[in-house]
Amino acid sequence: MIAEKDAAQIAAEPYTPVFLAIYDVWVIKLSDRFAWRCPAERMLEPYDKLVGARHLEVGPGSGWYLVNTQLPADCAVTLLDLNPTPMEHTRRRLQGKAGRVETVTASVLEPVPAEAGSGYDSIGINFVFHCLPGSFAEKGVAFTHLAQVLADDGVLFGSTILNQRPATLFGLALTAAYSRAGAFNNGADDHAGLEAALTAAFADVELTDVGDVTLFTARQPRR
Protein backbone atom coordinates (compact mmCIF):
# COMPACT_ATOMS: atom_id res chain seq x y z
CA MET A 1 0.00 0.00 0.00
CA ILE A 2 1.34 3.43 -0.96
CA ALA A 3 2.08 5.63 2.04
CA GLU A 4 -0.09 8.74 2.27
CA LYS A 5 2.81 11.11 1.77
CA ASP A 6 4.03 9.13 -1.23
CA ALA A 7 0.53 9.08 -2.74
CA ALA A 8 0.30 12.87 -2.39
CA GLN A 9 3.65 13.25 -4.12
CA ILE A 10 2.59 10.92 -6.94
CA ALA A 11 -0.57 12.98 -7.46
CA ALA A 12 1.55 16.15 -7.72
CA GLU A 13 4.14 14.73 -10.11
CA PRO A 14 2.17 15.10 -13.40
CA TYR A 15 2.47 18.89 -13.14
CA THR A 16 5.59 19.09 -15.28
CA PRO A 17 6.56 21.99 -17.58
CA VAL A 18 5.27 19.99 -20.56
CA PHE A 19 1.87 19.33 -18.95
CA LEU A 20 1.56 22.91 -17.74
CA ALA A 21 2.18 24.12 -21.29
CA ILE A 22 -1.04 22.39 -22.42
CA TYR A 23 -2.96 22.67 -19.12
CA ASP A 24 -5.09 25.66 -20.14
CA VAL A 25 -6.34 23.89 -23.25
CA TRP A 26 -6.60 20.32 -21.95
CA VAL A 27 -7.98 20.97 -18.47
CA ILE A 28 -9.46 24.47 -18.44
CA LYS A 29 -11.01 24.60 -21.91
CA LEU A 30 -11.74 20.95 -22.76
CA SER A 31 -11.98 18.81 -19.61
CA ASP A 32 -13.89 21.30 -17.45
CA ARG A 33 -16.60 21.79 -20.05
CA PHE A 34 -16.83 18.46 -21.84
CA ALA A 35 -15.68 15.90 -19.26
CA TRP A 36 -16.94 17.43 -16.00
CA ARG A 37 -19.74 19.68 -17.39
CA CYS A 38 -18.60 22.70 -15.38
CA PRO A 39 -17.21 25.40 -17.69
CA ALA A 40 -14.11 27.24 -16.52
CA GLU A 41 -16.07 30.49 -16.65
CA ARG A 42 -18.34 29.14 -13.91
CA MET A 43 -15.34 28.13 -11.80
CA LEU A 44 -13.84 31.58 -12.31
CA GLU A 45 -16.83 33.30 -10.69
CA PRO A 46 -15.67 32.77 -7.06
CA TYR A 47 -12.34 34.38 -7.93
CA ASP A 48 -14.10 37.39 -9.43
CA LYS A 49 -16.25 37.77 -6.32
CA LEU A 50 -14.12 36.58 -3.42
CA VAL A 51 -10.37 37.07 -3.91
CA GLY A 52 -9.10 39.50 -1.29
CA ALA A 53 -6.08 41.76 -0.95
CA ARG A 54 -4.14 38.94 0.69
CA HIS A 55 -4.78 35.63 -1.06
CA LEU A 56 -3.47 32.08 -0.58
CA GLU A 57 -3.76 29.74 -3.57
CA VAL A 58 -3.33 26.04 -2.81
CA GLY A 59 -2.40 23.86 -5.77
CA PRO A 60 -2.35 26.65 -8.38
CA GLY A 61 -2.08 24.40 -11.45
CA SER A 62 -1.26 26.65 -14.40
CA GLY A 63 -2.50 29.76 -12.60
CA TRP A 64 -5.27 30.30 -15.15
CA TYR A 65 -7.88 31.42 -12.60
CA LEU A 66 -5.61 33.95 -10.92
CA VAL A 67 -4.44 35.28 -14.27
CA ASN A 68 -7.98 35.65 -15.62
CA THR A 69 -9.62 37.31 -12.64
CA GLN A 70 -9.36 40.97 -11.69
CA LEU A 71 -7.10 40.90 -8.65
CA PRO A 72 -7.45 43.70 -6.09
CA ALA A 73 -4.94 46.52 -6.45
CA ASP A 74 -1.55 45.53 -5.00
CA CYS A 75 -2.90 42.05 -4.21
CA ALA A 76 -0.37 39.89 -2.35
CA VAL A 77 -0.59 36.26 -3.50
CA THR A 78 0.98 33.26 -1.80
CA LEU A 79 1.15 29.98 -3.70
CA LEU A 80 1.34 26.69 -1.79
CA ASP A 81 2.05 23.34 -3.42
CA LEU A 82 4.00 20.15 -2.84
CA ASN A 83 5.44 20.54 -6.35
CA PRO A 84 7.43 23.75 -6.99
CA THR A 85 7.02 23.55 -10.79
CA PRO A 86 3.40 24.80 -11.03
CA MET A 87 4.14 27.51 -8.48
CA GLU A 88 7.02 28.87 -10.55
CA HIS A 89 4.88 28.63 -13.69
CA THR A 90 2.09 30.60 -12.00
CA ARG A 91 4.48 33.11 -10.46
CA ARG A 92 5.82 33.99 -13.90
CA ARG A 93 2.30 34.42 -15.30
CA LEU A 94 1.37 36.76 -12.46
CA GLN A 95 4.29 39.14 -12.98
CA GLY A 96 2.89 42.65 -13.33
CA LYS A 97 -0.61 41.51 -12.31
CA ALA A 98 -0.18 40.95 -8.56
CA GLY A 99 1.59 43.30 -6.20
CA ARG A 100 3.64 40.47 -4.71
CA VAL A 101 3.83 36.72 -5.32
CA GLU A 102 5.47 34.31 -2.89
CA THR A 103 5.78 30.53 -3.04
CA VAL A 104 5.77 27.95 -0.25
CA THR A 105 6.60 24.29 -0.96
CA ALA A 106 4.48 22.22 1.40
CA SER A 107 1.68 19.67 1.62
CA VAL A 108 -1.76 20.91 2.60
CA LEU A 109 -2.09 17.69 4.60
CA GLU A 110 0.35 19.25 7.06
CA PRO A 111 -0.04 22.51 9.02
CA VAL A 112 0.65 25.56 6.84
CA PRO A 113 4.31 26.51 7.40
CA ALA A 114 4.96 29.59 9.52
CA GLU A 115 6.77 31.20 6.58
CA ALA A 116 3.44 31.43 4.75
CA GLY A 117 2.03 33.70 7.43
CA SER A 118 -1.63 33.94 8.37
CA GLY A 119 -4.60 36.29 8.30
CA TYR A 120 -5.46 35.66 4.65
CA ASP A 121 -8.50 37.44 3.28
CA SER A 122 -9.16 34.58 0.88
CA ILE A 123 -7.96 31.05 0.16
CA GLY A 124 -8.54 29.21 -3.12
CA ILE A 125 -8.19 25.43 -3.48
CA ASN A 126 -9.47 24.16 -6.82
CA PHE A 127 -9.27 20.56 -8.04
CA VAL A 128 -6.91 19.55 -5.21
CA PHE A 129 -8.96 17.26 -2.96
CA HIS A 130 -9.73 14.64 -5.59
CA CYS A 131 -5.96 14.28 -6.00
CA LEU A 132 -5.18 13.89 -2.30
CA PRO A 133 -5.02 10.38 -0.80
CA GLY A 134 -7.52 9.04 1.70
CA SER A 135 -11.16 9.78 2.46
CA PHE A 136 -12.37 13.14 3.73
CA ALA A 137 -12.14 11.70 7.25
CA GLU A 138 -8.38 11.79 6.65
CA LYS A 139 -7.60 14.46 4.07
CA GLY A 140 -10.28 16.78 5.43
CA VAL A 141 -7.63 17.85 7.95
CA ALA A 142 -6.48 20.20 5.21
CA PHE A 143 -9.53 22.37 5.91
CA THR A 144 -8.51 22.58 9.56
CA HIS A 145 -4.99 23.64 8.59
CA LEU A 146 -6.29 26.30 6.20
CA ALA A 147 -8.83 27.60 8.72
CA GLN A 148 -5.92 28.42 11.02
CA VAL A 149 -4.41 30.89 8.53
CA LEU A 150 -7.65 32.49 7.29
CA ALA A 151 -8.68 35.85 8.71
CA ASP A 152 -11.75 35.82 10.97
CA ASP A 153 -13.75 37.56 8.23
CA GLY A 154 -12.02 35.75 5.36
CA VAL A 155 -13.41 33.19 2.92
CA LEU A 156 -12.17 29.88 1.61
CA PHE A 157 -13.47 28.65 -1.73
CA GLY A 158 -12.71 25.82 -4.09
CA SER A 159 -13.94 22.82 -6.02
CA THR A 160 -13.49 19.07 -6.30
CA ILE A 161 -14.75 16.05 -8.21
CA LEU A 162 -16.45 13.52 -5.96
CA ASN A 163 -16.74 9.78 -6.52
CA GLN A 164 -20.03 9.80 -8.41
CA ARG A 165 -20.00 8.18 -11.84
CA PRO A 166 -19.23 10.92 -14.41
CA ALA A 167 -22.09 11.60 -16.80
CA THR A 168 -19.95 11.71 -19.96
CA LEU A 169 -17.80 9.09 -21.67
CA PHE A 170 -14.98 11.64 -21.66
CA GLY A 171 -15.30 12.01 -17.88
CA LEU A 172 -15.41 8.23 -17.39
CA ALA A 173 -12.28 7.77 -19.48
CA LEU A 174 -10.38 10.52 -17.66
CA THR A 175 -11.40 9.22 -14.24
CA ALA A 176 -10.20 5.71 -15.09
CA ALA A 177 -6.91 6.93 -16.57
CA TYR A 178 -6.16 9.41 -13.79
CA SER A 179 -7.03 6.88 -11.09
CA ARG A 180 -4.69 4.28 -12.60
CA ALA A 181 -1.90 6.87 -12.73
CA GLY A 182 -2.44 7.91 -9.11
CA ALA A 183 -3.48 11.44 -10.07
CA PHE A 184 -7.06 10.88 -8.85
CA ASN A 185 -7.66 9.51 -5.34
CA ASN A 186 -11.37 10.23 -4.96
CA GLY A 187 -12.80 6.71 -4.73
CA ALA A 188 -13.95 7.31 -1.13
CA ASP A 189 -15.00 10.95 -1.61
CA ASP A 190 -18.68 11.73 -1.21
CA HIS A 191 -20.84 14.79 -0.61
CA ALA A 192 -21.48 13.97 3.06
CA GLY A 193 -17.78 13.51 3.77
CA LEU A 194 -16.88 16.81 2.13
CA GLU A 195 -19.59 18.68 4.03
CA ALA A 196 -18.57 17.10 7.33
CA ALA A 197 -14.91 18.00 6.82
CA LEU A 198 -15.80 21.58 5.95
CA THR A 199 -18.19 22.07 8.88
CA ALA A 200 -15.57 20.70 11.27
CA ALA A 201 -13.34 23.63 10.30
CA PHE A 202 -15.85 26.38 9.42
CA ALA A 203 -19.15 27.53 10.88
CA ASP A 204 -20.62 28.78 7.57
CA VAL A 205 -20.43 26.35 4.63
CA GLU A 206 -22.10 26.26 1.21
CA LEU A 207 -21.82 23.53 -1.44
CA THR A 208 -23.03 23.78 -5.04
CA ASP A 209 -23.00 21.00 -7.63
CA VAL A 210 -22.39 21.97 -11.25
CA GLY A 211 -22.16 18.94 -13.51
CA ASP A 212 -19.67 16.53 -11.92
CA VAL A 213 -17.96 19.32 -9.97
CA THR A 214 -18.80 20.33 -6.41
CA LEU A 215 -17.95 23.94 -5.61
CA PHE A 216 -17.72 25.07 -2.00
CA THR A 217 -17.32 28.22 0.04
CA ALA A 218 -16.58 28.39 3.74
CA ARG A 219 -16.50 31.26 6.23
CA GLN A 220 -16.13 31.78 10.00
CA PRO A 221 -13.11 29.55 10.67
CA ARG A 222 -13.25 27.51 13.85
CA ARG A 223 -10.12 27.96 16.00
Side-chain angles (χ1 to χ4, degrees):
M1 182 176 179
I2 299 174
E4 241 183 48
K5 185 174 182 181
D6 292 339
Q9 290 171 333
I10 289 170
E13 285 174 356
Y15 291 85
T16 63
V18 172
F19 181 54
L20 290 169
I22 65 169
Y23 188 95
D24 288 2
V25 173
W26 178 247
V27 176
I28 303 295
K29 297 300 182 182
L30 296 179
S31 299
D32 283 0
R33 182 179 297 274
F34 299 110
W36 316 125
R37 301 177 300 133
C38 183
E41 292 77 13
R42 175 63 181 86
M43 294 177 64
L44 184 64
E45 290 176 9
Y47 286 85
D48 293 338
K49 297 175 181 177
L50 302 175
V51 169
R54 209 162 160 255
H55 178 75
L56 174 65
E57 186 75 2
V58 181
S62 71
W64 186 89
Y65 295 103
L66 290 173
V67 170
N68 284 277
T69 193
Q70 184 62 50
L71 295 174
D74 297 321
C75 180
V77 177
T78 300
L79 309 173
L80 187 146
D81 201 300
L82 193 58
N83 183 345
T85 302
M87 292 193 293
E88 180 58 25
H89 181 89
T90 300
R91 187 190 64 77
R92 289 195 301 268
R93 295 187 74 179
L94 286 173
Q95 285 182 353
K97 185 172 178 64
R100 185 176 76 253
V101 180
E102 298 178 346
T103 62
V104 177
T105 303
S107 170
V108 75
L109 296 175
E110 303 293 336
V112 178
E115 64 190 274
S118 60
Y120 287 98
D121 300 305
S122 56
I123 298 175
I125 181 165
N126 271 299
F127 277 17
V128 170
F129 280 96
H130 55 243
C131 301
L132 296 175
S135 68
F136 278 112
E138 300 159 325
K139 61 189 172 186
V141 69
F143 289 126
T144 300
H145 297 325
L146 295 175
Q148 298 306 307
V149 298
L150 186 68
D152 289 342
D153 59 351
V155 58
L156 176 144
F157 61 89
S159 60
T160 192
I161 298 170
L162 300 175
N163 65 355
Q164 72 266 22
R165 182 179 173 86
T168 67
L169 290 176
F170 188 11
L172 287 169
L174 287 187
T175 297
Y178 291 165
S179 296
R180 284 195 301 270
F184 266 29
N185 293 284
N186 62 349
D189 295 0
D190 58 20
H191 200 277
L194 172 59
E195 187 170 18
L198 279 164
T199 54
F202 299 92
D204 182 2
V205 169
E206 180 180 350
L207 284 76
T208 303
D209 294 322
V210 181
D212 295 312
V213 176
T214 299
L215 299 103
F216 51 83
T217 59
R219 294 179 171 85
Q220 300 177 28
R222 302 185 193 274
R223 309 295 188 192

